Amino acid sequence: MEQIPDNIKHYLENIVKDTLKSTFNVETEVIFEETPKPDFGDYSSNFLFRLKKELSEPIQTVGDIITLEVMKKLQHIASEVSTQTGFLNIKLANKTLHNILRKINSEPQEYGKVNIGNNEYINLEFVSANPTGPLNVVSARAASVGDSLKRIMNNAGYKVESEFYSNNAGKQVENLVKSVKWWINKLKGIEEPFPQEGYKGEYLKDIAERALNENIKEEELPEFITETILNEQLETLKQFNVEYDHVIKETFIRKSKYPGLVLRILKEEKFLFFEDGATFFRTTDFGDTESRVIIRRDGTGTYFFYDLAYHLYKLQRGYDKLINILGPDHHGYIKRMEAGLTALGYPNRLKIIIVQQVSLLKNGEKIKMSKRAGQFYTLKQLLEEVGKDAARFFFLMRTTDAHLDFDIDLAKKIGKENPVYYVQYMHARSHSLLKHGEENNIVPKDNNLRLLSLPEERLLMRKLMYFPDTVEKATIRMEPHEIPRYLLQLADIFHNYYQKNRIVNPDKPELSAARLFLVLAVKNVTKRALDIIGVEAPEQM
RNA sequence: GCGCCCGUAGCUCAACAGGAUAGAGCAGUGGAUUUCUAAUCCACUGGUUGGGGGUUCGAGUCCCUCCGGGCGCGCCA
């Protein structure tokens, strides 16, 4: 097989960049993108517009010279180079596309790997709920995004470890315990008023029953309750195809040396002051809008205080970067936490991603939810109702910072309206075609790929070529939604191709073998893409 | 009042660093099936990108302003 560059896009960029330097002595970044229309070629760049002011000659003159130079250097992989419109457009030779198919099928697992992580050691924290109840759908979205991001970044050469932080201490837990005690008493026949800030919800009754049956002592109750709920949360996440490298509990942090360490550093650096009997951390020195309490008047530490300790603990474990995926109610928290870590001597080490809220739609109406009132739709219910693949896919279809409407009825549908099936069906159909070929003694072969001469075939090959670019973009933007979008576009082209053309035709074995080679590449890339977002690639549907 | 997110087709959303004629899906209408799984495909209809101003070769994208929707603003977590 002829050598093709490891990454076509970057190869083109470097060629043009070097040409600009050697011919015009101009240093600039050149970026190639997928063309908006196939007519324009396969890759295009707008650098001529950008350089307009810097260049002494008219851009068309520059364009002509660049065209000639680039054409010379690319004659082994490109068929057309043009700057007619002001954009530099490059159309790749068909044999280049063929070589990409060969590359995909010879090492499917390697295709789409990018190298921008440089082995950077990352801690990725997501979901991190209080152990006060079942996980809700915002947690589900965070889980989907977080777990996919882990896979995406590991694919890109980062070393990512995922972490779940359980806030199993503090006032909310006290309220939780009070609520369970109320149930225990009720089961014993003792009627009391329900605790003021207690948690409603039937799941606490089950826990109360178990506590009674297992004779849990009063002082063991907090741990018993929080452990029970935490384990249920983790079990549900596991069913969602999400497993963690680390689970850290707030009780552990509270007992560790880190709270003391935080206090000492802040004190030494004179970032603390006292007011109304409480200890404040002057986060305003670091861009926060107001200073924050870390030790309350009653001497107890705030959530923020222990969270600082927790983050210090994470950093001292050796991570280069921390990424937190948080729900929409935490955006006010970003400044505070960044300020805190800067004060502790770790500036610019934390990246917070806010996942926006989710509205669930059923029968065209929004489901109302309130955790305190015990009315909510849980991740567990969602899994039972729509399945993990549909759930994961749906959560990833939008950018993380946009509100998401999750249509439960749509996710349950079987058919083209449901994007998950549309994409999975592409994989199943490829598999079935290959099997059908085998039954007719036709296997994928790469010795006659020039027979792939249809426009649809070129479109398909082109799209497969863009897969590494898509993965790279998803990594850089930290936006998993690029992957589902890519899959949907690929599925469109593939189903269209299938519909119009017979793939396996015993009368034309050569053509069939070439087409099956293309189908195999589609199958391999689909599998890779689905793996990256943690969705199953079924061979039969 | 302050802060964050959003406003694009009837609905749900794209548009990658500001680029080429603003694209998909759903819904609607009309068509394709002796199949390699129709869980599919094709065509048509649908837009003053919330309003106004600015920046420039070029603005859905950047800046200003107004309007509308959501969320947050605790010595809760």
Side-chain angles (χ1 to χ4, degrees):
Chain A
M1 150 171 153
E2 281 173 68
Q3 276 301 309
I4 51 163
D6 211 36
N7 183 312
I8 300 232
K9 180 173 175 281
H10 292 162
Y11 179 75
L12 298 178
E13 287 165 352
N14 287 330
I15 293 275
V16 175
K17 204 173 150 187
D18 292 349
T19 308
L20 278 169
K21 177 88 166 60
S22 57
T23 320
F24 296 98
N25 200 26
V26 176
E27 292 232 33
T28 182
E29 278 301 300
V30 175
I31 288 168
F32 275 98
E33 297 177 338
E34 177 177 344
T35 53
K37 284 176 73 176
D39 304 353
F40 298 143
D42 300 314
Y43 279 108
S44 77
S45 177
N46 60 2
F47 70 90
L48 281 170
F49 291 112
R50 290 172 189 279
L51 288 179
K52 205 173 175 181
K53 285 199 182 116
E54 280 181 56
L55 294 164
S56 46
E57 290 149 273
I59 60 170
Q60 199 47 59
T61 314
V62 178
D64 289 344
I65 296 168
I66 292 282
T67 303
L68 283 174
E69 285 295 314
V70 169
M71 191 66 216
K72 236 189 281 174
K73 290 181 186 167
L74 292 182
Q75 43 182 309
H76 59 298
I77 61 166
S79 62
E80 284 170 38
V81 178
S82 148
T83 52
Q84 284 297 308
T85 56
F87 294 91
L88 175 65
N89 292 332
I90 296 177
K91 185 175 181 183
L92 294 168
N94 289 338
K95 66 170 187 191
T96 304
L97 297 177
H98 300 159
N99 283 333
I100 286 167
L101 294 187
R102 293 188 178 101
K103 189 171 166 182
I104 294 169
N105 290 340
S106 64
E107 278 187 296
Q109 294 306 317
E110 293 302 305
Y111 190 64
K113 282 220 166 130
V114 288
N115 193 9
I116 44 183
N118 293 317
N119 238 0
E120 215 182 340
Y121 190 30
I122 309 270
N123 180 288
L124 178 62
E125 181 197 335
F126 54 93
V127 180
S128 292
N130 303 319
T132 52
L135 295 171
N136 60 25
V137 286
V138 177
S139 292
R141 186 178 185 187
S144 188
V145 169
D147 188 61
S148 300
L149 205 53
K150 179 186 169 187
R151 292 161 192 257
I152 288 169
M153 293 182 79
N154 277 334
N155 174 72
Y158 291 91
K159 198 171 161 232
V160 182
E161 289 176 2
S162 56
E163 187 150 313
F164 185 101
Y165 183 53
S166 188
N167 301 117
N168 64 346
K171 294 235 165 83
Q172 293 197 353
V173 170
E174 286 170 26
N175 289 330
L176 174 76
V177 174
K178 279 182 203 159
S179 310
V180 176
K181 278 184 188 162
W182 181 86
W183 273 110
I184 291 177
N185 284 332
K186 191 180 160 90
L187 289 168
K188 286 180 180 165
I190 306 167
E191 288 288 345
E192 287 173 336
F194 193 76
Q196 220 173 20
E197 300 205 42
Y199 290 86
K200 293 181 177 141
E202 288 286 311
Y203 61 93
L204 292 183
K205 187 184 169 187
D206 301 339
I207 293 175
E209 274 169 359
R210 283 181 52 186
L212 272 178
N213 291 339
E214 293 175 35
N215 261 324
I216 304 296
K217 289 182 204 137
E218 174 142 0
E219 64 269 24
E220 291 169 346
L221 214 44
E223 196 186 342
F224 175 79
I225 299 167
T226 53
E227 283 296 298
T228 304
I229 296 179
L230 171 61
N231 287 333
E232 274 171 20
Q233 290 175 338
L234 292 174
E235 183 52 37
T236 309
L237 286 165
K238 204 168 167 183
Q239 284 164 23
F240 198 40
N241 216 0
V242 177
E243 294 195 59
Y244 285 91
D245 298 309
H246 306 283
V247 175
I248 309 292
K249 295 170 200 165
E250 189 176 338
T251 43
F252 165 78
I253 296 296
R254 287 189 182 221
K255 277 184 275 177
S256 73
K257 63 175 180 179
Y258 294 96
L261 199 50
V262 168
L263 264 189
R264 208 173 70 217
I265 297 172
L266 294 182
K267 201 184 248 170
E268 274 169 16
E269 301 292 331
K270 300 192 172 29
F271 294 132
L272 298 182
F273 67 92
F274 301 92
E275 208 174 279
D276 298 335
T279 306
F280 282 74
F281 170 15
R282 200 182 297 106
T283 47
T284 45
D285 287 5
F286 303 93
D288 198 358
T289 49
E290 54 188 296
S291 290
R292 309 290 171 176
V293 172
I294 58 168
I295 308 289
R296 298 186 189 98
R297 202 180 319 167
D298 65 10
T300 57
T302 58
Y303 166 75
F304 176 48
F305 175 57
Y306 290 114
D307 215 25
L308 277 175
Y310 169 49
H311 281 79
L312 183 61
Y313 167 61
K314 281 202 268 191
L315 285 161
Q316 295 208 345
R317 278 152 63 196
Y319 294 108
D320 298 312
K321 269 213 172 103
L322 309 180
I323 303 176
N324 288 3
I325 299 182
L326 301 174
D329 48 338
H330 282 74
H331 67 250
Y333 199 66
I334 299 177
K335 271 264 153 55
R336 206 183 304 186
M337 204 60 217
E338 283 171 351
L341 294 187
T342 304
L344 292 172
Y346 292 98
N348 304 319
R349 298 286 279 277
L350 175 70
K351 159 94 184 161
I352 293 180
I353 298 174
I354 295 287
V355 173
Q356 282 299 328
Q357 74 187 108
V358 178
S359 304
L360 285 173
L361 285 146
K362 213 169 177 178
N363 304 322
E365 277 180 41
K366 287 194 179 173
I367 301 176
K368 290 228 162 39
M369 278 175 282
S370 154
K371 195 172 185 179
R372 275 273 155 71
Q375 277 185 339
F376 48 92
Y377 194 89
T378 64
L379 169 56
K380 205 170 170 182
Q381 282 171 280
L382 189 68
L383 284 173
E384 281 161 11
E385 198 159 0
V386 310
K388 85 175 153 62
D389 286 345
R392 286 188 71 120
F393 200 89
F394 270 64
F395 282 127
L396 295 181
M397 284 203 307
R398 306 284 174 246
T399 52
T400 47
D401 60 6
H403 297 198
L404 171 79
D405 278 7
F406 193 120
D407 188 336
I408 293 177
D409 302 317
L410 178 62
K412 282 160 76 178
K413 260 189 206 158
I414 287 176
K416 167 155 198 200
E417 312 93 316
N418 185 341
V420 191
Y421 285 97
Y422 190 61
V423 166
Q424 288 185 321
Y425 187 48
M426 160 165 62
H427 189 265
R429 178 170 263 176
S430 318
H431 179 78
S432 141
L433 283 169
L434 290 162
K435 218 169 88 185
H436 186 72
E438 245 172 73
E439 285 157 14
N440 287 279
N441 293 316
I442 301 170
V443 292
K445 260 193 249 159
D446 72 340
N447 52 351
N448 267 315
L449 294 180
R450 58 184 172 78
L451 295 175
L452 301 175
S453 56
L454 297 169
E456 302 95 277
E457 287 166 335
R458 196 175 192 286
L459 278 178
L460 205 44
M461 292 189 276
R462 202 171 96 103
K463 198 69 194 175
L464 294 173
M465 175 177 75
Y466 295 136
F467 179 62
D469 305 343
T470 305
V471 173
E472 186 184 84
K473 196 163 72 183
T475 312
I476 292 169
R477 296 177 70 192
M478 294 202 210
E479 274 290 1
H481 96 293
E482 304 286 347
I483 311 289
R485 298 200 67 78
Y486 173 85
L487 279 166
L488 285 167
Q489 288 166 12
L490 184 66
D492 248 338
I493 303 171
F494 177 70
H495 291 310
N496 174 302
Y497 173 55
Y498 168 88
Q499 197 68 28
K500 285 190 194 156
N501 303 287
R502 176 155 274 272
I503 310 298
V504 178
N505 183 351
D507 297 337
K508 294 180 183 168
E510 295 288 299
L511 178 65
S512 299
R515 286 184 169 174
L516 281 178
F517 197 75
L518 174 58
V519 169
L520 179 62
V522 169
K523 187 189 169 198
N524 284 330
V525 170
T526 305
K527 173 84 167 69
R528 274 282 283 144
L530 285 171
D531 279 349
I532 285 181
I533 54 172
V535 174
E536 221 64 52
E539 298 196 325
Q540 269 189 350
M541 292 178 75

